[in-house]
Amino acid sequence: MKVNYHIHSIYSDGETALEDMVKAAINNEFHEIGFTDHLTLMKKNCYETQSLNQKNLEKYINEIRNLQKNYSGKIKIKSGLEIDYIPSTIKIIEQIISSFNFDFLIGSVHYIDEWAFDLPESQEIWSNLNLNEVNKLYDKYYRLLTRAVETGLFDVVGHLDVIKKFGYKQIRLKEVHKLIKKVNENGLVIEVNSSGLKYAAREIYPSLDILNIAFDEDTSITLATDAHKPEEINYRYTDLIEQVKKAGYTQTVIFNRQSKSKINF
């Protein structure tokens, strides 16, 4: 079964409509997809410019429901969000989404001390950091991601080692072991995401070393390409499957109203 559980649209930073992504998924023979537009609340009543907000969440979920009906029998479509974990606003986010019945929620970290470390414009800053400064960023990143897992709000950990995106890689096996333990204790799964292959990291998120640890700890996974336009729906999907098989995986998790089940891929 071919699935993709990380897809964006024009409701956040994607380039096209939800339905265009559905059509692309069908054309690429996907059986099930999950929409995960961004919900990023920087401060109270202050959303990131390309984020969903409280006003258009209902429109977003209603459009997904209509697509579920219109494409029934052709593809399964799940409703989700990619929520930025920002400690000062996470309780507000929890209140905002409490009236909606999403199928799954991805928790991600894109901000460290309000710095969007994975945006293209951040590369100049990265290039001027010394090793000690990179070390401190990694420390902060894994602390934030661990805290996100501990909230109990999320179902999936998004692109676990995305901090390596621009090629500033560090092996943090001690932190990874602790994080994976927290993932399992809190009933989450980790996402395996092919989009890292586009960037200087030249690796899938997470790396094979991390996937090996996750497999050994019996941590479940979802599969994703982090698509922002139709041509990215199938991005390096064969490489994605090859990587998870190397780690020993034969199954992926799918969601329905935040209840998970496993299927073979």
Side-chain angles (χ1 to χ4, degrees):
M1 188 168 174
K2 191 175 181 181
V3 303
N4 189 339
Y5 261 62
H6 194 145
I7 298 171
H8 298 280
S9 76
I10 52 174
Y11 276 99
S12 61
D13 62 344
E15 296 184 14
T16 191
L18 293 170
E19 187 166 16
D20 292 332
M21 301 302 267
V22 172
K23 290 177 179 177
I26 293 170
N27 289 339
N28 283 280
E29 300 181 333
F30 280 91
H31 301 95
E32 183 164 321
I33 60 172
F35 283 111
T36 54
D37 274 299
H38 290 280
L39 183 59
T40 307
L41 183 62
M42 302 303 297
K43 298 175 183 177
K44 187 176 181 180
N45 299 321
C46 179
Y47 292 88
E48 197 272 334
T49 54
Q50 290 187 306
S51 167
L52 280 159
N53 57 57
Q54 194 168 0
K55 294 180 180 178
N56 61 8
L57 262 176
E58 187 170 358
K59 183 180 178 183
Y60 169 72
I61 193 71
N62 285 339
E63 186 170 343
I64 291 174
R65 285 172 180 161
N66 286 333
L67 291 169
Q68 289 169 338
K69 294 175 185 175
N70 294 341
Y71 287 89
S72 177
K74 296 181 179 179
I75 191 171
K76 290 183 179 179
I77 304 167
K78 299 302 173 71
S79 60
L81 293 170
E82 182 180 11
I83 299 173
D84 267 286
Y85 176 70
I86 297 172
S88 61
T89 63
I90 197 66
K91 290 297 183 184
I92 303 171
I93 288 287
E94 194 169 356
Q95 292 170 4
I96 290 169
I97 66 173
S98 63
S99 60
F100 299 95
N101 291 312
F102 287 98
D103 288 307
F104 69 109
L105 300 171
I106 297 175
S108 297
V109 173
H110 298 97
Y111 290 87
I112 298 174
D113 298 331
E114 298 187 8
W115 177 46
F117 63 83
D118 70 333
L119 291 181
E121 51 267 35
S122 73
Q123 291 182 77
E124 185 176 354
I125 296 174
W126 275 108
S127 67
N128 289 308
L129 296 176
N130 60 41
L131 180 59
N132 186 51
E133 289 168 326
V134 174
N135 285 339
K136 288 180 179 178
L137 284 172
Y138 265 78
D139 289 342
K140 288 181 178 180
Y141 175 77
Y142 277 104
R143 282 199 298 269
L144 285 168
L145 200 57
T146 300
R147 289 173 66 185
V149 169
E150 291 173 332
T151 63
L153 179 62
F154 306 114
D155 304 293
V156 182
V157 179
H159 38 54
L160 188 150
D161 57 351
V162 70
I163 192 168
K164 72 184 180 187
K165 181 175 179 177
F166 298 122
Y168 300 89
K169 299 178 186 178
Q170 289 196 0
I171 298 172
R172 292 296 191 95
L173 297 185
K174 182 179 179 181
E175 287 87 347
V176 168
H177 276 287
K178 288 181 178 178
L179 179 62
I180 293 298
K181 183 178 180 180
K182 291 292 184 181
V183 167
N184 290 341
E185 286 175 356
N186 288 275
L188 280 76
V189 307
I190 64 170
E191 170 189 274
V192 187
N193 180 325
S194 64
S195 68
L197 293 167
K198 300 176 195 172
Y199 305 107
R202 295 288 186 265
E203 283 185 343
I204 286 169
Y205 306 128
S207 68
L208 184 57
D209 285 341
I210 295 175
L211 266 184
N212 285 333
I213 293 169
F215 182 78
D216 288 344
E217 295 296 328
D218 201 26
T219 307
S220 298
I221 60 169
T222 58
L223 302 173
T225 68
D226 208 341
H228 289 72
K229 49 190 175 182
E231 53 266 39
E232 293 177 347
I233 282 281
N234 202 41
Y235 179 75
R236 302 290 291 271
Y237 200 85
T238 301
D239 296 304
L240 182 70
I241 297 299
E242 182 180 332
Q243 173 118 320
V244 295
K245 284 183 175 179
K246 279 183 181 177
Y249 286 98
T250 59
Q251 293 184 314
T252 182
V253 165
I254 56 174
F255 287 92
N256 184 50
R257 298 294 175 91
Q258 295 189 272
S259 176
K260 59 181 181 283
S261 58
K262 288 184 179 181
I263 57 164
N264 294 328
F265 52 76

